[in-house]
Amino acid sequence: MGSRVDNVDKVGQQLLLVGSSGGHLAQLLALKPWYETWQRCWVTFDTPEAVSLLAGEDLIPAYHPTTRNVRNLLRNALLAARVLRRRRIAAVVTTGAGVALPFVVLARLRRIPTVYIEVYDRIDTPTLTARLCRPFLSKMLVQWDEQRRQYPEATVVGTLL
């Protein structure tokens, strides 16, 4: 995934995996071979599908909807501040969408590595969340070579699904 994240001492630290439910969460779940040796916690929406997929995992419910909802953006920013203050987070890994922004920004301000994986279905145009998160990222990952037109600094990791 990334040497800076892989080289972190894992004892007592957690990966924070952040993503909206649905396809964003599915793409994070596809990373299981990489994250399964880590202690981890998840931030996503409290939907029946997400709860089912993350059964047995440490799940922190985020506020939704996030699209054009300033109130939930602020609530998720407070949630991010609380989570990042109370837990020893080694890195934040996200596929978006709106729930990711406050976690990425606040993690970066705390010097916690931040990794964004652009979703597989946005090949020709960047997502709004990726554009907003980009200045705060330690690493940008994409799933298609074509996505490097929008993100020349990105590392191509191949498709997750």
Side-chain angles (χ1 to χ4, degrees), residues 68-138:
R68 296 179 184 88
N69 190 314
V70 175
R71 180 174 184 252
N72 283 342
L73 173 66
L74 295 174
R75 292 168 78 191
N76 284 328
L78 291 172
L79 177 65
R82 188 169 53 250
V83 169
L84 295 170
R85 185 177 61 250
R86 292 182 180 168
R87 295 179 181 240
R88 292 191 59 220
I89 302 298
V92 174
V93 179
T94 185
T95 53
V99 67
L101 182 62
F103 286 88
V104 167
V105 171
L106 293 176
R108 187 62 176 198
L109 292 173
R110 294 177 66 92
R111 293 188 166 91
I112 297 169
T114 53
V115 179
Y116 193 99
I117 306 167
E118 182 64 292
V119 292
Y120 73 91
D121 58 344
R122 290 299 292 270
I123 297 170
D124 296 324
T125 59
T127 58
L128 175 60
T129 306
R131 289 191 324 245
L132 293 172
C133 289
R134 196 172 181 187
F136 304 96
L137 297 176
S138 305

